Amino acid sequence: MPDRQNEQNFEGMRDSSVNAIGSIGNVGGDLNLGATPPQPPTGATVLLTQPPKPAPHQQPRAVTATIRDRLKPGTIAGITGISGVGKTTIAAKLYAEASELGFDRSLWLDFSSAPTVDAIADAMLTGLGGRAARDLAGLDTQERRNAALTLGATAGCLMVLDNLETALTEGRGWRDRSVGEFWADWSRVAGKSALLVTSQVKPRLWLEMNAASWEPLSGFDAITGAEFLAAAGVRGSAEELTRLSELVSGHPLTLRLAASYLGLACGGDLTRSEARELLAFEAIASTPTGQHRGMDSASLAFLLERHWAQLSALQRKFLGRLCVYRVPIDRELAAGMWDGVTLEEAWRELVGLGDRSLLRRLEDGRYRVEPLVARYVESLGVEPAHDRAIAVFEGRRLPCEAWEVEGDIAEYGELVHHYVQVGALERAFYTVRDDRRSEACLHTWLDRRGYRQTLIRLYEEMLAAWRDEADQYYGAMLTAVGEAYRALGQVREAIAFQEKCIELAREIGNRQGEAISLGSLGNAYGRLGQVERAIDLHQQSLKI
């Protein structure tokens, strides 16, 4: 957390900095100038978001045509490539053409927020099936997934799974086994529907099943890259534009950053003397392999450095703070990272960063920080603003009496994440579980409504950060995760957690905890049909 003097300096620089910053395109310009950009509604954040708005000259035409031809009922078509190469842009264009491709309905799932199988099924049933979210509260996970799979087989829909690599392990397996099982079943019963997947890597399961066709995506060819630059307002000869595109290997994000940088530095005119600085691209592009400030592309790092240099100290801190958000950023989230301004003023600055291509604008008008930009900012050692995110989400969370569907408790999940990041682990725990509050306890609400995957994810994030395995919180979380796995029918996972609970209880002399865990372990073995083992464990529990 910034010290008091730095914080005063940060807030106090606003009046002087906004007058000093250039006003080209109102990027970071005077907060009181220019028309207020369109502003999306605020409300509870959700895990599943809309696609970015398709734009011209942002997709290799041949690749797009190839993937379009593969999108038939019952198929899975994938786009692979490095970050920022344009996978999502192509998917967004095809998503917008869903009806032309013969699909009656369409749904976009953004996996960068790690949705659970419950969230995926609920999104399908509400977005494709037209069911009211509150009507799903009484369904357990198995009922949700079965209904979603049936819908997928019959609905004739195009569904996009964006950023799927975030759901995979380093070995390309699924981080959440239940999510992997869901998509494995989908590939067997897809019927009239199709999946369009974007991912940096291919899921091992689909490779083994030979269930998907994959199209690798590299940068634009030189001519397409030159057309992209021209459409973005860069002026120069065909030779100059083509040369610039070749120097950055046609990488779309790098080209967007180059276009916005040129617009700020020299009005987009490659013939002006200021544009000669871009000749440094040649030296950087020939740099030996290896990462540059966390970037796989040296030219991308070069451009990010130039953009960073053009930001005021205030804008840099603002962007650095925005990088802590995992969810799409609206007016309230933006204003929460900047004291002393109105929602409209904070939103205008957010749009300014989007104009620089440092943020990605979504179809619903909200923004996300480009992942590569976040990595670059992190490499600079900018102090994250999790404390501010906590304040924002504490103010946005709904009271327990207003909870009806899983989306109503989304802010609580974000609170847990940010509490963990600042080391406030007990506060994270009590955000999920406070047995004194009964029905108001988030744990109880999620468990009774069958959202056990969400429970597991919350607890496992805390468990991964917990330092003292001997305290009461750690054991309680192990027990809760074990019980959630058992309720989901994942008995082997439940047994592993309950056995660890017993071991821990014995180490610290917690006889009551040992008895409870022995009983839970007996229940798990009972689910496996190992009756004698289950009876023995229950008898051990009763003796204690």
Side-chain angles (χ1 to χ4, degrees), residues 125-412:
L125 294 172
T126 56
L128 299 175
R131 298 180 64 171
R134 61 176 55 87
D135 295 338
L136 305 178
L139 302 179
D140 62 24
T141 295
Q142 192 64 39
E143 291 170 329
R144 281 189 178 89
R145 71 186 302 278
N146 289 345
L149 289 171
T150 300
L151 177 64
T154 58
C157 66
L158 172 64
M159 190 149 57
V160 176
L161 313 186
D162 192 27
N163 300 309
L164 191 67
E165 71 277 353
T166 58
L168 306 177
T169 65
E170 291 184 2
R172 295 184 295 172
W174 296 89
R175 295 184 184 277
D176 184 334
R177 195 184 77 175
S178 62
V179 171
E181 290 173 346
F182 179 85
W183 294 119
D185 289 342
W186 168 279
S187 66
R188 299 185 186 100
V189 300
K192 297 180 180 180
S193 298
L195 288 183
L196 175 57
V197 181
T198 75
S199 181
Q200 294 184 36
V201 296
K202 304 172 185 177
R204 187 175 66 246
L205 176 65
W206 281 342
L207 288 175
E208 293 170 351
M209 295 175 63
N210 196 28
S213 59
W214 296 92
E215 185 67 21
L217 185 63
S218 55
F220 294 145
D221 60 62
I223 295 176
T224 304
E227 291 176 350
F228 172 88
L229 288 168
V234 179
R235 301 187 304 281
S237 66
E239 181 181 357
E240 289 170 326
L241 293 173
T242 300
R243 180 163 165 264
L244 179 54
S245 175
E246 289 175 336
L247 285 173
V248 301
S249 302
H251 187 260
L253 176 57
T254 307
L255 287 171
R256 278 197 284 129
L257 288 166
S260 58
Y261 172 64
L262 282 167
L264 291 166
C266 56
D269 188 351
L270 281 176
T271 65
R272 288 176 53 178
S273 59
E274 298 93 327
R276 293 176 183 172
E277 185 180 5
L278 287 177
L279 293 176
F281 269 130
E282 294 185 4
I284 293 174
S286 62
T287 301
T289 57
Q291 291 198 336
H292 306 264
R293 287 201 177 277
M295 303 294 105
D296 295 319
S297 164
S299 53
L300 177 58
F302 169 81
L303 273 172
L304 287 172
E305 288 170 359
R306 294 303 183 273
H307 274 283
W308 185 259
Q310 289 183 341
L311 296 177
S312 69
L314 179 61
Q315 288 174 312
R316 292 176 188 175
K317 186 156 285 190
F318 185 46
L319 176 58
R321 288 175 170 180
L322 293 174
C323 287
V324 304
Y325 284 132
R326 304 187 302 175
V327 297
I329 303 169
D330 59 23
R331 289 174 294 167
E332 289 183 359
L333 294 183
M337 293 299 172
W338 191 342
D339 290 343
V341 297
T342 66
L343 292 177
E344 289 73 19
E345 289 170 339
W347 182 252
R348 188 174 293 117
E349 285 298 306
L350 191 75
V351 172
L353 293 174
D355 290 343
R356 289 179 177 271
S357 298
L358 299 173
L359 307 178
R360 175 161 54 95
R361 187 175 187 273
L362 304 178
E363 183 71 19
D364 63 2
R366 294 180 295 176
Y367 284 84
R368 278 190 185 276
V369 179
E370 288 282 5
L372 288 174
V373 174
R375 283 169 51 191
Y376 173 77
V377 172
E378 182 181 359
S379 76
L380 298 176
V382 176
E383 189 170 7
H386 294 288
D387 55 325
R388 284 179 167 266
I390 288 169
V392 171
F393 288 117
E394 283 182 338
R396 285 167 63 112
R397 60 183 173 180
L398 294 175
C400 58
E401 56 269 17
W403 300 345
E404 293 187 359
V405 296
E406 189 179 19
D408 294 335
I409 54 90
E411 277 77 14
Y412 290 82

Side-chain angles (χ1 to χ4, degrees), residues 449-468:
R449 286 157 180 78
Y451 292 115
R452 297 187 180 93
Q453 287 292 345
T454 300
L455 263 182
I456 291 170
R457 183 176 62 185
L458 292 171
Y459 281 126
E460 289 189 337
E461 182 172 7
M462 289 185 277
L463 285 168
W466 218 272
R467 295 292 177 262
D468 184 5

